[in-house]
Amino acid sequence: MLTIFFSALVFGFVFCLSPGAVLAETLRRGLLHGFTPALLVQIGSLVGDAVWAVIGLTGIALLIQHESVRVPLTAVCGLYLAWLGVRSLMDAWRLPESDSAPARSGQNALMVGAAISLANPKNIVYWGALGSALSGIVGATPSHGQTLMFFAGFMVASVLSCFLIAALVNLLRQNASPMWQRVSYGACGVVLLYLAVLALRAI
C-alpha cells in the first residue's frame, strides 16, 4: 500500500507542476490579484482532476473516447483556452491595476480552474495511462482498496501542489517589475493560445 501511495504521490506532483493551461491561468491571476485567486484556480482544477481520476481509474474513459462526446468536449476546451489566451495578451498590452476587482476575481477563479480541467479531454489519456500503471504496480487487477489508496496519494500531492504553486506565484508578484509582469502575461497568453490550437486540431 505504501508503494502505491508514494507512486501516486509522484504522479500527482508531476501532473500538477507540469506546464499547461491551469498553471498559465494561475500565473496570470496570481500576478494580478495575489495568493488567494491563484490558490482558487488551483483548487478549482482539483475538481476536474478528481472527476477525471474517477473516470480513468474505473474504466469509464472508454465511454468518453467516443466521437460524439470527445469532439464537442475538445471544441469547448479549445475555444475556452483561446478566450483565456486573448485576455492574457490584452493584460500584457495594457497592464491592469493590481487591485482591480479583486472580489470578483476571487469568486470566479475557482470556476475557471474547474472549467479548464473539466474541459480538457487530454486528461482521459493521462488517467487511462495511470489506470494501467496502477495495474503494473500491483501486478494484477487492483482491488478497490488499492485504487482508493492510489487516488488518495494523487489528491494529497495535488493539494500540496496548490499551495506551493500559489505561494511561488505570489512571491513572484511581490518581486516582479511591471515589465516582467507584461512578459509573464504575454507568455501565458501565447501558451494558452498554443494549447487552444492543439486542442482544435485534434478534432
Side-chain angles (χ1 to χ4, degrees):
M1 282 295 187
L2 282 178
T3 300
I4 293 173
F5 180 83
F6 285 110
S7 297
L9 206 65
V10 171
F11 285 131
F13 278 120
V14 170
F15 180 80
C16 295
L17 297 177
S18 60
V22 172
L23 190 59
E25 184 63 11
T26 299
L27 179 59
R28 189 184 77 83
R29 287 179 180 266
L31 288 175
L32 185 58
H33 296 301
F35 177 83
T36 300
L39 179 62
L40 289 176
V41 172
Q42 288 288 313
I43 292 176
S45 73
L46 285 184
V47 176
D49 294 342
V51 170
W52 288 119
V54 171
I55 290 174
L57 293 175
T58 58
I60 305 176
L62 296 175
L63 299 176
I64 308 296
Q65 290 176 356
H66 286 293
E67 293 292 311
S68 59
V69 176
R70 184 187 63 81
V71 171
L73 186 62
T74 302
V76 169
C77 175
L79 293 174
Y80 188 59
L81 292 177
W83 177 69
L84 292 174
V86 170
R87 286 188 60 191
S88 190
L89 291 177
M90 290 173 63
D91 288 343
W93 178 260
R94 184 176 181 180
L95 199 64
E97 295 294 331
S98 60
D99 60 349
S100 60
R104 185 179 64 183
S105 176
Q107 290 167 0
N108 65 23
L110 192 69
M111 297 183 65
V112 168
I116 293 174
S117 184
L118 285 170
N120 187 0
K122 291 186 177 181
N123 285 343
I124 299 172
V125 178
Y126 182 84
W127 276 104
L130 282 191
S132 301
L134 176 57
S135 297
I137 292 171
V138 300
T141 301
S143 65
H144 292 302
Q146 290 169 330
T147 301
L148 287 174
M149 180 62 71
F150 192 87
F151 181 78
F154 180 88
M155 294 310 295
V156 167
S158 298
V159 171
L160 293 176
S161 296
C162 286
F163 287 91
L164 175 62
I165 292 171
L168 290 175
V169 170
N170 189 53
L171 182 64
L172 177 62
R173 173 178 181 260
Q174 294 173 350
N175 296 280
S177 66
M179 178 57 70
W180 176 247
Q181 290 190 33
R182 288 182 187 275
V183 172
S184 299
Y185 286 137
C188 290
V190 170
V191 169
L192 289 166
L193 288 173
Y194 175 70
L195 293 173
V197 170
L198 289 181
L200 294 174
R201 285 183 61 185
I203 296 177

